Amino acid sequence: MGMVALGYETTLPVTMSQTLSATAAVARVVKSAMVVGDMPFGSYQCGDDEAMKNAVAIIQAGADAVKLEGGARVCGLIRRMTEAGIPVLAHVGMTPQSVNQFGGFKKQGKGEAAAQVAADARAVEAAGAFAVTLECIPADLAAKITAELKISTIGIGAGPACDAQWLVMHDLLGLNENAPSFVKQYAHLAGDVRAAFAAYVKDVTDGAFPGV
Amino acid sequence: MFYSNSNLDTIEEFEKRREAAAKLSLADGVELIVDDYDHDSWLKTVAAGLENEPEKGARCAKCFRFSLARAAAYAAAHGYDGFASSLTVSPHKISAVVFGAGEAAAETIRQTHPDGEVPEFLRYDFKKGEGFKLSVRRARELGLYRQGYCGCEFSKRKGAEVC
Ligand code: SF4
């Protein structure tokens, strides 16, 4: 949401109130899909009690589950949320909220770092996460983790072997013209939108719309 | 246990794998049903035009559909509630593609039996939770033949993966 809908360069500026209104809007229209509210940066880094309150707020806004980023370091929180009845989708590998630590949106888990990503995935499973997102890691590592874990893996830029795949809606529809290289676009709506607005402006300035 | 392997390039390989399936079915006390071996029809229906596709490519997706269609037809004809596929145990098989093939096979049956009870495809992923390692251990314990290539002649090419 932060990068494709709100115009931010990273996901870091997204706030709890933006998350709550987006979660509520999605939850109002969804009929059968599971709604997962993504905990924004800062909402679970300043103490576990505050993180719990924020997770509860996301559920109360209409989400069925929350997602948070990190491996072993967030396992205490995953355990606490799960025990409180809040299903947690974990997220390891290239975790966008740690972009400043990574020095950019760079592939993680290459070479010796693979063991750490695999250990993080194992840790979040043991802590109770119901599924884990694997973002931007080598495809063979994602395949290995997918086979090893009992919970489902959801890949984004992590090859075809994951149990399920993420694709950001704006990227899928071709609304985001700066989409990452692993994205596949199934439509090119940005061009259609631009053409529609240009046609509208032309009609107004030509006197063709509105009619008399 | 439904053994269908028309994708195999030779009848000798079909027999080796059938024997392994027979040992397993005996050990687990389940009936083994052996489907006809019809590699010519597999070549025509699946491989024609896709001989140079890499593994995990379009030929493999069609190959899954071929075998799962036969499994679905058998399951429907013999009153089974559902069917799954052991193809998912291989780390070289993308489970989502196997599931797609299984569901397509079930859908075809549904369309041809509009009023009847038809078997459902069960999205069971045998590789999860170290399933592949368990299968290797089980095969070793039972002394089962372990294949050295996926199955068709095109998977024997240099650099192809062992599934
Ligand atoms: S490589 Fe294996 S899955 Fe692919 S077409 Fe050949 S036998 Fe079938």
Side-chain angles (χ1 to χ4, degrees), chain A residues 19-164:
Chain A
T19 298
L20 292 177
S21 56
T23 303
V26 170
R28 275 194 290 273
V29 296
V30 160
K31 294 214 166 60
S32 62
M34 180 182 203
V35 177
V36 180
D38 203 350
M39 296 197 69
F41 179 67
S43 69
Y44 58 103
Q45 283 86 353
C46 308
D48 286 4
D49 288 346
E50 194 179 329
M52 287 301 293
K53 280 190 195 138
N54 286 327
V56 167
I58 290 174
I59 297 295
Q60 286 176 335
D64 303 303
V66 299
K67 181 172 88 59
L68 50 87
E69 298 182 5
R73 73 187 158 85
V74 294
C75 281
L77 258 182
I78 295 177
R79 211 166 278 119
R80 203 170 148 191
M81 288 178 184
T82 307
E83 279 165 9
I86 302 174
V88 178
L89 169 58
H91 186 158
V92 303
M94 204 291 288
T95 44
Q97 292 174 5
S98 304
V99 61
N100 292 332
Q101 262 173 341
F102 296 145
F105 296 107
K106 294 175 180 162
K107 187 164 259 193
Q108 300 297 309
K110 290 196 274 189
E112 284 175 9
Q116 185 56 52
V117 176
D120 278 339
R122 262 180 239 122
V124 296
E125 174 175 68
F130 71 87
V132 58
T133 293
L134 304 177
E135 179 157 358
C136 224
I137 62 170
D140 56 346
L141 174 61
K144 198 175 144 273
I145 294 172
T146 299
E148 188 182 332
L149 299 191
K150 288 202 176 85
I151 59 172
S152 296
T153 61
I154 312 177
I156 176 163
C162 297
D163 296 309

Side-chain angles (χ1 to χ4, degrees), chain B:
Chain B
M1 189 189 302
F2 183 72
Y3 176 82
S4 184
N5 247 332
S6 289
N7 52 317
L8 298 183
D9 57 337
T10 65
I11 185 75
E12 289 76 20
E13 185 68 18
F14 182 89
E15 281 304 315
K16 277 190 202 165
R17 297 190 193 186
R18 187 196 55 73
E19 260 173 46
K23 275 192 200 168
L24 182 64
S25 73
L26 200 64
D28 286 352
V30 291
E31 186 194 355
L32 177 70
I33 299 125
V34 179
D35 191 18
D36 293 339
Y37 174 66
D38 187 0
H39 191 55
D40 286 342
S41 136
W42 182 89
L43 282 171
K44 274 189 218 116
T45 322
V46 174
L50 299 174
E51 295 83 351
N52 294 321
E53 277 286 306
E55 277 185 57
K56 301 195 180 96
R59 188 188 62 246
C60 299
K62 264 181 108 178
C63 179
F64 302 161
R65 283 178 181 232
F66 181 92
S67 296
L68 284 166
R70 295 171 78 111
Y74 185 90
H78 294 83
Y80 286 82
D81 298 332
F83 65 107
S85 172
S86 61
L87 282 167
T88 58
V89 82
S90 165
H92 300 295
K93 301 276 184 286
I94 298 168
S95 300
V97 180
V98 177
F99 293 159
E103 261 149 25
E107 183 54 33
T108 305
I109 298 291
R110 214 168 289 131
Q111 280 169 10
T112 48
H113 298 68
D115 306 318
E117 294 255 313
V118 291
E120 215 184 296
F121 178 72
L122 308 168
R123 296 167 71 98
Y124 197 89
D125 194 342
F126 289 96
K127 73 165 81 56
K128 294 298 288 178
E130 296 285 29
F132 179 66
K133 274 194 195 159
L134 291 175
S135 75
V136 173
R137 197 184 311 149
R138 192 89 206 285
R140 215 175 281 135
E141 281 163 12
L142 292 173
L144 302 183
Y145 165 69
R146 294 207 53 227
Q147 64 200 56
Y149 64 109
C150 185
C152 64
E153 44 276 66
F154 315 108
S155 63
K156 272 182 162 169
R157 277 189 299 241
K158 205 166 161 270
E161 287 162 342
V162 175
C163 296

